[in-house]
Amino acid sequence: MKPSTAPLRPSSLLRGAALAVAFALAGVPLSYGHRGAAQTPPGAASTYEVRLHRPARVGQRARVTVEGHKQQTMHISANGRPPVDREENLRVRLRAVERVLTVSPEGKSLSSEYTIERLEADDATGSHVLLRPGQVVTVTRAPRGAEARVTVAGRPVDRPVREALSVVISLSIGGVDDDQVFGTTQRQAVGAAWPLNAEVAQRDLLHTANVTATLSGQTRIHGVATVQRTPCLDVSAEMNGTITAMADLPPRSSVRSGTMHVTMRGMFPVAPTTPSLSSTMEMTMDMHVDLPPTAASEHNEIRITVREGKTGTVTPLGR
């Protein structure tokens, strides 16, 4: 949950992690943003309209600063060979001016351009400057992030650039919006909490990531604060789940166990049409999958842990 053009949504992050797990199994290579905000004591009689989905507008501009990380560990025991352990770590820093190019009828950004001020990544080989200041990245989103088009000067970006961008901005446009999962139609007071709409969340995860899971969680208003001279609601959301099946696994594979945990906290202006100004999110997914037997081994399995997170701030710039 950050600006509508690149939401830090728990649902979006979870779908991405689920697909990463599925791709790995199929053999494909694989702080709080409003520090210093002035908190306002809750007013006993004050209630607020809570809107987590903030519609994007064509021409909307903002400076976005995001730091994200992704860690994936795998333990593979298959084909009668010695167990193999693999680990991948990626940390990305982005600062750019984002401009919305096209918007869906639901107010989701279909395409955006990012004028880069900084795009760097740290991986096992060291630190890398991936794009130079002044270069412009155009992102045309798709129902699945893997299908999105990401270009510079009309040409597809290199794989390291695409992978880094996927850690800090959303490349997908699929799925329901956060109000349908974490929102409420009732005005709420500071301190109020309400459960997520598990049925909608589970259906969305199955539709967009082919993952069957039992989900639970809640949303809470912690307080009112002033960020960038703007009155904001301090809102958190939490999602927990048990994964029972994934359709994108290798044939005859099955999920032995799977768990997920997602937390988010963000600053949402009291005015429901203004983009959120800061947010932070963490996600962990643990999977234990039994692979089909082979002539060399009756018992094959893989264990995967994916940890992702990002912290972002937004400064609106007008049009």
Side-chain angles (χ1 to χ4, degrees):
M1 297 175 180
K2 76 177 198 45
S4 53
T5 51
L8 289 179
R9 297 200 306 263
S11 51
S12 177
L13 193 64
L14 183 56
R15 288 194 295 269
L19 291 173
V21 170
F23 290 155
L25 290 169
V28 178
L30 294 173
S31 105
Y32 198 5
H34 69 273
R35 254 179 269 169
Q39 291 283 343
T40 301
S46 298
T47 61
Y48 302 91
E49 179 183 1
V50 182
R51 290 290 178 264
L52 305 183
H53 171 60
R54 304 298 171 110
R57 302 183 305 276
V58 172
Q60 175 179 305
R61 296 171 66 247
R63 175 169 284 102
V64 297
T65 303
V66 189
E67 292 196 11
H69 63 87
K70 179 178 180 180
Q71 179 187 52
Q72 180 172 291
T73 60
M74 291 188 290
H75 178 83
I76 306 169
S77 176
N79 298 325
R81 299 174 181 173
V84 175
D85 290 303
R86 297 177 183 170
E87 181 173 337
E88 298 179 12
N89 288 284
L90 181 63
R91 185 169 295 273
V92 181
R93 294 172 294 279
L94 168 72
R95 186 173 65 245
V97 173
E98 174 187 34
R99 183 167 70 93
V100 178
L101 301 178
T102 59
V103 176
S104 73
E106 301 78 24
K108 295 182 179 181
S109 173
L110 294 174
S111 61
S112 303
E113 67 176 22
Y114 297 84
T115 302
I116 299 298
E117 296 177 354
R118 179 188 192 191
L119 180 62
E120 301 172 353
D122 300 333
D123 59 21
T125 64
S127 298
H128 311 277
V129 176
L130 298 178
L131 290 175
R132 299 185 306 275
Q135 289 188 279
V136 178
V137 179
T138 301
V139 175
T140 303
R141 297 176 175 87
R144 288 193 175 196
E147 302 164 353
R149 180 171 170 79
V150 184
T151 62
V152 172
R155 301 182 61 179
V157 298
D158 294 336
R159 180 175 173 178
V161 175
R162 185 185 180 98
E163 289 183 349
L165 288 172
S166 72
V167 173
V168 290
I169 66 173
S170 175
L171 301 184
S172 69
I173 195 64
V176 300
D177 66 53
D178 278 339
D179 282 331
Q180 295 171 273
V181 175
F182 295 99
T184 173
T185 58
Q186 304 297 319
R187 294 180 66 89
Q188 301 290 340
V190 170
W194 56 93
L196 66 78
N197 190 329
E199 182 179 349
V200 171
Q202 289 165 183
R203 188 168 58 245
D204 179 55
L205 190 59
L206 178 62
H207 175 70
T208 59
N210 290 327
V211 173
T212 302
T214 301
L215 303 174
S216 63
Q218 69 171 10
T219 308
R220 179 183 297 275
I221 301 179
H222 294 272
V224 182
T226 299
V227 180
Q228 299 180 36
R229 299 189 295 276
T230 303
C232 295
L233 298 177
D234 176 1
V235 179
S236 71
E238 180 178 16
M239 176 189 287
N240 297 290
T242 300
I243 302 170
T244 56
M246 297 178 70
D248 292 330
L249 300 180
R252 297 186 296 134
S253 299
S254 62
V255 175
R256 184 187 302 185
S257 63
T259 60
M260 61 182 72
H261 178 64
V262 182
T263 59
M264 179 283 299
R265 193 161 180 170
M267 300 302 293
F268 296 83
V270 172
T273 59
T274 303
S276 58
L277 299 180
S278 67
S279 59
T280 184
M281 181 176 309
E282 294 290 335
M283 185 282 303
T284 300
M285 176 182 288
D286 290 296
M287 298 288 299
H288 190 172
V289 174
D290 290 317
L291 304 174
T294 65
S297 176
E298 287 291 325
H299 180 71
N300 304 298
E301 64 181 48
I302 183 169
R303 300 178 183 179
I304 298 181
T305 298
V306 178
R307 292 184 173 85
E308 295 188 26
K310 48 189 170 181
T311 297
T313 61
V314 178
T315 303
L317 300 175
R319 293 173 180 245

